[in-house]
Amino acid sequence: MIASDTLDRAPSAPDAKVHKRNLAGMPEDKAMLRAAADLTRDIAKARPEIYWPDMLASAAVGYLALYGAIATTQPVVTILLGALSAVALYRALLFIHELTHIHRDALPGFRFGWNVLVGIPVLIPSFMYEGVHTLHHARTRYGTAEDPEYLPLALMKPWTLPVFALTALLLPIGLLIRSAILVPLGALVPPLRTLVWERASALSINPQYRRRKPEGDFARMVFWQELGATAWSWFVLGWSATHGWRPLLVAIGVLSATALLNQIRTLVAHLWENEGEVMSVTGQYLDSVNVPPPAMFTALWAPVGLRYHALHHLLPSMPYHSLAECHRRIRAHLGVSSTYEGANYPGLFPMLARLARSSMRRGA
């Protein structure tokens, strides 16, 4: 266990002065790892009766609200319905995270259904995360230059944080250009195809990451998903050119808000303090963030189990609907003075403030 005086903040004092922890040298807390595995085996099965209704309802609300935002002529109503659509589609989109972890036979048809209903219409097919996110969980890659989802944001210049967040607003336009122009051109120009695949075919934040060429069954899946995304992007652009651009512009605005919300969540998913060193699983856990109850509104900005992001790093294959019970069991078993408490934080804004203070201290 880690003694309480080694933690940079007590759970009851989230606004205390923040100090960087040397998590790269953190030894494994075998008691915590063993408890996480032993206490949760009976709830580790993905339940289709939860996954399907949740995904379908989120997508339905998102699309209906988007239709309403497009159809109305009242600016205030457009904004309100657009906000509802952004939140609902955000939840529907984040099932891509589940697709990267669940066994391919656990939920028959779910990957196909999600891609048809959500991934391809939003131009983020599941291949853009599958085979990428698992590298983030690799024991020897987390937090290193080979991790596609890690940057030491807490140790970078203060201006990088707003730039990191606001660049997400351009994501829908970038995805449209990618599917409608770059992918078809890449079919004719092999060097461009290689460039697009390596640099613009993964949901990653590490600019050093280069994606490896797909092979086998995965390559065939990529082909069909790319074809669907390109066909859909051409249809959207063709329809807009002949029927008016307002629907597309409203949709881009909604998806930009969704991307911004996800980018803000990403800012508080980790402490972002590792400088490229290999970390133990315990170190990875403590560099990650849980925001458990009673934090308010967390289900909106960190849905589909992502409020338990640190716990997810202990139990990557645990379905999202079981994480709250996993958290309850582990916490009750280990107690409030355990290592497990070191990754539990009170909410979004205290974590954003913590990250900003760390960045400004480094900048100074």
Side-chain angles (χ1 to χ4, degrees):
M1 302 293 182
I2 299 176
S4 59
D5 61 354
T6 66
L7 299 179
D8 61 22
R9 59 104 187 105
S12 59
D15 294 324
K17 186 176 180 180
V18 177
H19 297 282
K20 180 181 180 294
R21 288 184 277 180
N22 181 24
L23 297 178
M26 184 70 61
E28 295 290 15
D29 185 333
K30 295 182 180 179
M32 179 181 70
L33 300 182
R34 184 165 55 250
D38 292 346
L39 295 172
T40 60
R41 287 195 178 96
D42 61 315
I43 53 175
K45 183 178 180 180
R47 298 172 59 184
E49 68 272 21
I50 294 178
Y51 273 81
W52 278 103
D54 193 345
M55 187 271 287
L56 292 174
S58 299
V61 171
Y63 290 136
L64 287 172
L66 177 59
Y67 174 80
I70 292 170
T72 185
T73 59
Q74 301 296 322
V76 174
V77 178
T78 296
I79 293 172
L80 292 176
L81 288 176
L84 174 60
S85 178
V87 171
L89 289 178
Y90 176 50
R91 184 177 185 87
L93 273 165
L94 282 182
F95 277 92
I96 196 174
H97 181 255
E98 292 294 299
L99 288 174
T100 67
H101 288 290
I102 59 174
H103 191 275
R104 62 184 307 114
D105 298 325
L107 297 170
F110 190 81
R111 177 175 283 97
F112 177 80
W114 182 88
N115 275 292
V116 170
L117 295 174
V118 181
I120 288 175
V122 181
L123 302 181
I124 305 178
S126 62
F127 79 80
M128 298 190 78
Y129 212 41
E130 294 184 272
V132 176
H133 180 62
T134 49
L135 299 179
H136 178 57
H137 285 271
R139 166 66 177 81
T140 59
R141 296 197 188 197
Y142 175 92
T144 70
E146 297 181 358
D147 185 344
E149 297 180 42
Y150 200 96
L151 284 174
L153 293 168
L155 311 179
M156 298 170 73
K157 299 294 185 181
W159 59 264
T160 61
L161 299 181
V163 170
F164 177 84
L166 293 175
T167 51
L169 295 173
L170 301 175
L171 179 63
I173 296 174
L175 292 171
L176 190 59
I177 294 172
R178 180 192 180 281
S179 291
I181 301 174
L182 297 181
V183 170
L185 283 179
L188 303 174
V189 184
L192 177 60
R193 179 167 68 246
T194 299
L195 178 65
V196 170
W197 178 256
E198 289 182 348
R199 303 295 302 276
S201 298
L203 298 179
S204 63
I205 64 173
N206 181 356
Q208 299 182 50
Y209 175 67
R210 302 293 184 271
R211 193 167 192 183
R212 294 181 179 178
K213 184 178 179 181
E215 298 176 346
D217 291 341
F218 184 66
R220 285 185 285 275
M221 185 182 77
V222 168
F223 171 80
W224 289 110
Q225 290 183 13
E226 289 277 45
L227 183 62
T230 294
W232 174 251
S233 65
W234 285 357
F235 169 78
V236 167
L237 290 173
W239 193 95
S240 299
T242 56
H243 293 77
W245 294 95
R246 174 179 160 79
L248 178 58
L249 294 177
V250 172
I252 287 175
V254 166
L255 294 177
S256 291
T258 294
L260 178 61
L261 183 58
N262 183 65
Q263 202 80 327
I264 292 172
R265 178 198 61 81
T266 300
L267 284 173
V268 300
H270 298 285
L271 301 185
W272 307 112
E273 293 179 347
N274 192 48
E275 297 183 87
E277 299 175 82
V278 174
M279 303 173 70
S280 67
V281 174
T282 301
Q284 294 176 27
Y285 171 77
L286 291 173
D287 189 45
S288 305
V289 173
N290 290 329
V291 186
M296 298 179 63
F297 307 115
T298 312
L300 295 180
W301 63 265
V304 196
L306 287 175
R307 71 184 303 163
Y308 299 105
H309 191 76
L311 176 56
H312 169 68
H313 274 264
L314 290 183
L315 302 167
S317 298
M318 186 63 60
Y320 79 99
H321 54 68
S322 296
L323 288 174
E325 177 61 15
C326 292
H327 173 76
R328 186 194 67 77
R329 293 181 184 184
I330 297 169
R331 200 175 196 185
H333 178 77
L334 295 177
V336 296
S337 61
S338 70
T339 303
Y340 186 76
E341 280 299 305
N344 295 321
Y345 294 88
L348 173 65
F349 293 109
M351 291 306 298
L352 287 174
R354 183 191 194 284
L355 181 61
R357 288 197 301 272
S358 177
S359 180
M360 287 187 288
R361 187 170 60 251
R362 174 55 66 99

